Amino acid sequence: MRGWRVRGRGILLALLVGAWGCGGASSDEAVDEACAGLLPGDLVITEYLNDPEGTDTGQEYVELHNPSRDRVDLRGLALYAARSDGSQEKAYVFTQSVPVAPGSYLVLGDVREGPRPAYVDHAYGEALGALGNTGGLLGVRCGERVVDEVHLTAPARSGVARTYDGRLVPDSAGNDDPERWCDGTGAGDAGTSRGSPGMANAPCESKSTPGGPAADAGVAETCVPDGVQLARPVARPRPGELVITEVMANPRGDDTLGEWVEVLATAPVDLNGLTVGSDSAGTKVEGTRCVSLAAGAHAVLARRTEAVLNGGLPQPVATFGVDLRNSGGVVMVRSGDVLIDAAAYGPAEEGVATQVSALLADASRNDSQEAWCRATEPHGTRGDLGTPGRANRVCSGGGGADAGVPDGGVRSDAGTPDAGVADAGVDAGTPASGCIDRATGRSRAPRVPDAGSLVLTEFMADPAAVTDAMGEWVEVLALRDVDLNGVSLSSGSGGGTVLTSTLCLSVRAGGRALLARSDDVSANGGLPAVLGTFSFNLANSAGSHMLRLSVDGRLLDAVTWTAAAVPGVASQLDPSRSDPGRNDLAGSFCPAPTGARYGLGDRGTPGVENRPCAP
């Protein structure tokens, strides 16, 4: 569930956000009275059939799950479908009572005439038209309040339902991640369709870790592995599974022949279909053969594959056609619209690659300019310095700048003029005061939060599903559009972390950011997407404790507590007190209710609106 989403009603949303910040009217004014008591997460979309065999008409269905311990009635709610950009929306409004028992599943079907199939509990007829076979939005809302929304993805073939991973507790934040969906495996009651309408889903087959993406992950593209003739689904990397570790932007000789980028795989992945390039252009990795990397393997992507032309590189796995600017820039790897990794580099010294310290080669730590330094080992036939296809050296000081090389980058006193195509356009690098916008790929000034713009709304100090060192987390609500770059999260005992990234750590007004000890879904208990990580412990024992958000020494928000943490239960702010003043009042925080569970089963509502505290 992606929080509050209003199409064509920006003024209304702005007014609502202003009301939250000033302690004014509740956001419930924009909901239908019949369903006003439903909050985001009270219903979860867990399965859909958007591409039946043959004609779609009359065969599509949507499955809803009630994860709470209370009965939910759909009266007043709207089931809607739209294109991915929110246009051409069609909706079905429940005008009569349609109850959903606690913990049960309800199947809504595109049944337009005749009796309903046994697995369909309620028909919405032709109200939604045909669901998008390869993309689109599907959701339920009460007035303007979105209760849950997911992005549709394509099954591997027609007649196969898409299902949320049965390993995980159905969760309206977790189901935003397309990697947690996979093709259904059972026949169920849907005849020839593979799915499990009305029943709990089977676990997705993970390619690497429990709770990870399914083998097909909704990607219909296939490739043929070496040594075999049968094609298999492409195993595209998730963010963090492919890391940019070295960049040669200014080789000796012709740049259009000798530029290269090195990547490191942290899990078994295929590069097929990925786009490699800069902030303004990219080249897609094509081919019917699988371009596969094992976990821990390095690979080189270059302008040319012929060793006689590229300066004697090890065999590149693929080529790209984008000019890497000598004045500095950014290298990006994308999978469709998903940014897998990005790295900024400074002015390039001729014949010298810039590389990530071997100790900092992951997709989070390589965002810091302090992680990069100049290469020192010669390679190839032209005397260039770099380690293409091999592990990098440890930079001086364990990862920062080399002595004599400013800012952890390469020297600015480049030698002879570039013999390649002249670099065009403005510098794509990231100035010290800027960040790279994830949507546009371009550098901009960060939106610095001020007092009143961020609210601490929930924290998990003692997870039960995983260890504290992996599963602790803090939720932050933004009351206006902000970036968290430079924001410090700290405890009263002195521990603290400043959030830093080359990319903008953006949170939209009304959105919630998760800060956690780990951003690895297989290790952190199944949290939804984590925006940033912190390294200190949250106290479990009774005593005087504090969490603080600040920026440049200015306090943004703080909360205090004295009670001991309940294992496996988050402490959450009552939604009626979602501002930096009222969250200080006694009784503002309470244990997450029993029916609010996420990931592997701990109690909490990470990334979605909190449940009201009991009187």
Side-chain angles (χ1 to χ4, degrees), residues 431 433-438 442-447 482-483 504 506:
S433 59
C435 59
I436 298 171
D437 192 290
R438 294 169 185 263
R442 297 184 180 278
S443 176
R444 62 168 173 80
R447 297 180 290 245
V482 296
D483 299 314
C504 298
S506 303

Side-chain angles (χ1 to χ4, degrees), residues 255 259 276-283 303 320-325:
D255 283 16
E259 291 176 343
V276 181
S278 66
D279 59 323
S280 58
T283 301
R303 297 293 291 274
F320 61 92
V322 178
D323 182 37
L324 303 181
R325 297 169 184 164

Side-chain angles (χ1 to χ4, degrees), residues 154 305 435 560 610:
T305 59
C435 59
T560 60
N610 297 345

Side-chain angles (χ1 to χ4, degrees), residues 505-520:
L505 303 176
S506 303
V507 192
R508 301 298 301 272
R512 296 167 190 267
L514 277 187
L515 310 176
R517 296 293 298 276
S518 171
D519 57 7
D520 184 350

